[in-house]
Amino acid sequence: MTSASADPTLKETLRRERAHHDRCLAALAAMVDGAQRQVVVGEDVSASGADAEVLGYQLRSQAKEMRELPEGPLFFGRLDFDRGDHSGQGYHLGRLRITEHPAAPPLVVDWRAPVSRAFYQASVQDPQGVAVRRRFGWAPGSAGDSADLTGLEDEHLSECEHLGEGRSAPSAIVAREIERPRIGPMRDIAATIQPEQDDLVRGDLAVSVCVQGAPGTGKTAVGLHRAAYLLYTHPQRMRRGGLLVLGPNRTFLSYISQVLPALGETGVRQSTLQDEIARHPVTATDPRQTAVLKHDARMAEVLRRALYARVSTEPLNPLEIKDGSYSWRVPRGELARIVADVREEEPPYGTGRERVRGRVVRSVQLQAERRAGPQNGAWVQRISRSRAVGAFLDVVWPKVRPEELLAELLTDGDALAAHADGLFDAGEQQTLLWGRSPRSWKSARWSAADLVLLDEVAGLVEHPEGYGHLVVDEAQDLSPMECRAIARRARFGSLTVLGDLAQGTTPWAARSWHTVLAHLGKPDATVVPLTVGFRVPRAVVGLANRLLARLDVEVPAGRSLRQDGELRMRPVADAEALPEAVVAAVRDALAQDGSVGVVAADEHVEDVRRALDAAGIPAAGPDEIGARVSVVTAAVVKGLEYDHVVAVEPAAIAEAEERGLHRLYVVLTRAVSRLEVVHGRPLPF
């Protein structure tokens, strides 16, 4: 590899590239202005009301997306080809396509375009027609001023091949980009995607994939860039089916919120599963064991039994339907056969009710046609909605409200015993019952686990509208019942499942991806490990790997390409000295660039906050993205990252919950540059 820093023409090369960036800025401004003009023109187009509305919506959406593009450099790389279909061509790569005219060659090619793949995949062994791969260095935090282009680096792949070199040297620009301080929301990684990450990003839409990613391997960024890639590659299918990104909590969503907009995708729904299934506010808290049982996969069968137990396959009387002066009669035996046949088919409960209605009406219609000839649609509708048919359905296939069914099941011990027989023993059944008996379901107080059960019942009654693709992060913490809620929304779509079994901290956290994928309805999804990290320094990964052997999961140990970074231990004499030692550790961290995260068990958080406040060090909470110093409980730090992490009393974190060692593993791997462990007790590792 030849570095541009050694090139005597570097100054002139940078001048030309800055001039090109100025041209791109002008072209982008014209594109934004043109999109707005199209809205004005489109609203004046003579068309039918529906067509005009659709056209107007599409144009306004496009203009809005253009206006909302975050500021920043417009390109990060360039490819010059000397072979193949693109021989003699050069392309700048950025986060979106920029052109001066739709028919003109692009000034910047979108990183998702097929030609861009060579930027991530080309190597000395396989140049893919690339003569030179150029990476651009921009000033940290650049808003896109051309003067912020401060350097460039060229890899001459063809020359390396001819010289017989075994491999290219690591990119200094990529290393600096990966290692620069983390303040504010999560950044995109379009400029630094590695070949194995690119394979995942560009995977087939129809194929579901599970990424088992060690800490710092970029699995979350891979999932978000895969979402952006699918939106670019399959725009119509994604608009039709929709794309949903599910995160573990709102703090995490705030942290990742700017990645997709930075990639030019502003209309993607990012949510938590709790928000997606929130039929009611959470106003109750289950004891731990009760919550564990409610999240158990056996509850799905209990709820199914309870729901379909309401169907009566033995009508008591024949059905008589008045039709003017005439009455039609459906015999009891035929009614029983219709209900039994539909019950055996077991469609969604609401569909089953309408299917019974349709077959009963068809029976009457056949009688009417034999007597008086064909009947029109109005006649069929009138018979279908007749009082007699409705009353019959209310007896044999009554309407069901999920809240009513669940409240009855969890307050009536006999009902629960009948439907849980052979699934839950008597003690478990007693644990499942509410300790309160509301006057009706309308006055019930629902727990978070109850909402998962309500979603299960609602899904049995009527399938929810699904998505074309779902990205599910921190999936190792999903319960079987939560997985089923996601599966219902991905019945006809695909999944990108992201997680790390070693970081599973919920009582129902997964031990095997195959189990999770089966509950998600994608048992054949491929599990792909990412083990090479680009975020966590090697010393920190080594410390975390010492814990890995004590966790009850089989995952490959992580490796780090980061040679920098620092790991320090700060022992103290006793617990009373902890806050003062934490303050000292934070002061040391503040002497360097970057964010500082102080992570502690719940029992130590307030003492740490008071100590920092007394020392005049302002400390924010986890929701305040962009703060220099944050104090975070170990329970909510998952998915976040800080340049400097001060881990307070690891033994207390490990003892705070059943899977405390997993929680500690998460805490130790949040550091991007420096980890300092403050402890007064023996370390669990």
Side-chain angles (χ1 to χ4, degrees):
M1 182 183 75
T2 302
S3 172
S5 61
D7 190 337
T9 62
L10 172 61
K11 186 174 181 179
E12 174 59 22
T13 304
L14 280 174
R15 186 196 66 76
R16 289 198 305 269
E17 293 292 7
R18 287 169 181 154
H20 184 75
H21 194 265
D22 285 333
R23 185 180 175 188
C24 293
L25 286 169
L28 179 60
M31 289 169 63
V32 174
D33 184 58
Q36 189 58 45
R37 284 201 307 272
Q38 282 185 320
V39 173
V40 176
V41 173
E43 289 176 344
D44 293 335
V45 170
S46 176
S48 71
D51 289 343
E53 185 174 344
V54 171
L55 177 62
Y57 173 78
Q58 291 176 343
L59 293 175
R60 286 192 299 274
S61 297
Q62 183 182 28
K64 180 174 182 290
E65 290 177 3
M66 295 291 291
R67 289 195 307 271
E68 292 180 352
L69 287 171
E71 293 182 330
L74 298 183
F75 54 76
F76 55 79
R78 173 179 170 132
L79 292 173
D80 288 297
F81 290 85
D82 64 355
R83 304 177 196 176
D85 295 341
H86 301 281
S87 180
Q89 301 295 315
Y91 305 100
H92 286 79
L93 277 61
R95 290 163 180 81
L96 75 160
R97 186 179 190 271
I98 299 175
T99 181
E100 292 172 318
H101 186 275
L107 299 176
V108 177
V109 174
D110 194 297
W111 68 275
R112 296 165 287 188
V115 70
S116 302
R117 186 166 198 187
F119 185 80
Y120 305 107
Q121 296 286 348
S123 65
V124 172
Q125 292 79 15
D126 180 19
Q128 300 185 16
V130 176
V132 180
R133 172 168 51 204
R134 173 170 292 172
R135 302 179 191 274
F136 295 99
W138 293 86
S142 172
D145 190 316
S146 297
D148 292 337
L149 177 54
T150 57
L152 54 84
E153 178 184 84
D154 286 348
E155 289 179 84
H156 295 267
L157 299 181
S158 296
E159 288 183 15
C160 288
E161 181 185 42
H162 297 326
L163 291 171
E165 296 183 17
R167 56 184 297 179
S168 301
S171 165
I173 284 178
V174 170
R176 285 196 297 272
E177 173 64 20
I178 290 172
E179 296 169 11
R180 69 181 173 89
R182 257 68 167 174
I183 294 180
M186 182 181 186
R187 304 191 307 268
D188 71 83
I189 60 165
T192 61
I193 290 173
Q194 302 300 300
E196 63 274 18
Q197 295 173 320
D198 184 65
D199 288 335
L200 292 166
V201 167
R202 297 175 192 264
D204 190 334
L205 169 61
V207 176
S208 293
V209 64
C210 173
V211 181
Q212 161 56 46
T217 54
K219 55 184 175 293
T220 296
V222 164
L224 294 173
H225 285 67
R226 175 157 169 72
Y229 174 79
L230 294 176
L231 288 163
Y232 172 87
T233 310
H234 308 282
Q236 293 183 345
R237 291 172 66 181
M238 288 294 93
R239 275 197 297 268
R240 185 168 59 248
L243 191 147
L244 174 65
V245 175
L246 286 177
N249 52 57
R250 292 178 183 175
T251 299
F252 179 83
L253 292 178
S254 297
Y255 180 62
I256 69 170
S257 62
Q258 294 304 307
V259 174
L260 287 170
L263 297 170
E265 302 296 347
T266 58
V268 180
R269 180 169 176 77
Q270 300 185 44
S271 184
T272 67
L273 180 60
Q274 290 70 31
D275 288 336
E276 292 298 298
I277 66 174
R279 296 171 65 95
H280 302 280
V282 173
T283 55
T285 302
D286 286 316
R288 179 186 173 283
Q289 187 55 33
T290 302
V292 169
L293 291 176
K294 287 180 178 179
H295 279 279
D296 194 294
R298 292 174 291 172
M299 282 302 302
E301 176 60 17
V302 173
L303 296 172
R304 189 195 67 81
R305 291 178 182 180
L307 177 62
Y308 284 97
R310 302 197 169 207
V311 174
S312 173
T313 57
E314 293 296 330
L316 298 177
N317 300 302
L319 176 62
E320 291 193 9
I321 304 171
K322 294 287 186 181
D323 185 13
S325 61
Y326 195 82
S327 292
W328 304 106
R329 189 173 187 274
V330 184
R332 179 176 175 275
E334 184 175 356
L335 294 172
R337 185 169 59 254
I338 289 173
V339 176
D341 287 349
V342 174
R343 173 66 182 83
E344 187 174 348
E345 295 165 9
E346 202 163 296
Y349 187 88
T351 301
R353 176 181 165 95
E354 294 309 307
R355 197 171 289 180
V356 170
R357 184 198 303 273
R359 294 183 187 181
V360 168
V361 171
R362 179 60 178 160
S363 176
V364 175
Q365 184 179 2
L366 291 174
Q367 294 181 47
E369 289 178 348
R370 285 194 295 267
R371 182 174 186 272
Q375 304 296 314
N376 60 29
W379 181 91
V380 172
Q381 185 71 8
R382 178 162 51 83
I383 296 298
S384 177
R385 298 302 168 189
S386 67
R387 184 173 298 178
V389 171
F392 164 73
L393 288 172
D394 288 341
V395 171
V396 300
W397 206 292
K399 292 181 179 179
V400 172
R401 187 183 294 271
E403 289 84 352
E404 186 176 6
L405 182 144
L406 186 61
E408 177 183 309
L409 187 68
L410 297 183
T411 56
D412 186 338
D414 292 337
L416 180 59
H419 302 309
D421 182 46
L423 295 169
F424 291 98
D425 62 33
E428 290 174 322
Q429 292 173 28
Q430 190 62 40
T431 300
L432 281 167
L433 288 172
W434 283 348
R436 57 197 185 279
S437 295
R439 296 177 182 175
S440 74
W441 67 265
K442 294 181 180 179
S443 60
R445 296 171 57 235
W446 306 100
S447 69
D450 290 335
L451 297 187
V452 179
L453 301 184
L454 286 176
D455 191 76
E456 178 76 23
V457 179
L460 290 170
V461 173
E462 183 177 1
H463 291 316
E465 290 188 15
Y467 289 87
H469 191 80
L470 287 86
V471 177
V472 185
D473 208 348
E474 301 294 349
Q476 75 280 346
D477 279 329
L478 293 170
S479 73
M481 294 301 288
E482 288 174 324
C483 287
R484 290 176 61 86
I486 295 170
R488 284 189 287 277
R489 290 156 175 82
R491 290 180 66 238
F492 302 110
S494 54
L495 293 173
T496 297
V497 180
L498 311 166
D500 179 8
L501 295 178
Q503 297 185 53
T505 53
T506 58
W508 41 77
R511 268 71 172 177
S512 162
W513 283 122
H514 297 293
T515 302
V516 174
L517 293 171
H519 288 307
L520 286 170
K522 309 294 181 185
D524 297 327
T526 302
V527 179
V528 179
L530 284 180
T531 58
V532 180
F534 311 97
R535 173 176 62 80
V536 184
R538 182 171 297 179
V540 177
V541 170
L543 180 67
N545 283 342
R546 288 163 59 185
L547 253 188
L548 195 59
R550 297 187 59 188
L551 308 182
D552 55 346
V553 291
E554 294 186 9
V555 297
R559 296 187 298 116
S560 177
L561 298 182
R562 296 278 302 279
Q563 299 282 3
D564 65 329
E566 184 180 359
L567 172 64
R568 297 178 62 181
M569 300 291 171
R570 188 184 289 261
V572 297
D574 52 50
E576 292 184 1
L578 271 177
E580 182 180 344
V582 170
V583 169
V586 171
R587 289 194 189 281
D588 288 349
L590 288 173
Q592 304 177 50
D593 292 336
S595 58
V596 182
V598 183
V599 189
D602 289 353
E603 64 182 275
H604 293 300
V605 165
E606 289 308 316
D607 289 341
V608 167
R609 285 190 184 280
R610 283 194 292 269
L612 290 173
D613 185 60
I617 300 175
D623 295 327
E624 298 176 62
I625 303 298
R628 184 75 197 280
V629 179
S630 299
V631 177
V632 188
T633 68
V636 301
V637 76
K638 186 177 297 183
L640 305 181
E641 57 183 27
Y642 303 92
D643 289 285
H644 312 276
V645 168
V646 178
V648 182
E649 198 63 274
I653 295 172
E655 294 169 0
E657 54 189 302
E658 180 182 345
R659 294 175 68 88
L661 286 176
H662 292 257
R663 184 77 70 187
L664 179 58
Y665 181 83
V666 172
V667 171
L668 297 178
T669 55
R670 299 306 92 198
V672 174
S673 298
R674 184 171 177 273
L675 171 65
E676 182 156 357
V677 179
V678 180
H679 66 99
R681 298 171 55 189
L683 295 170
F685 41 80

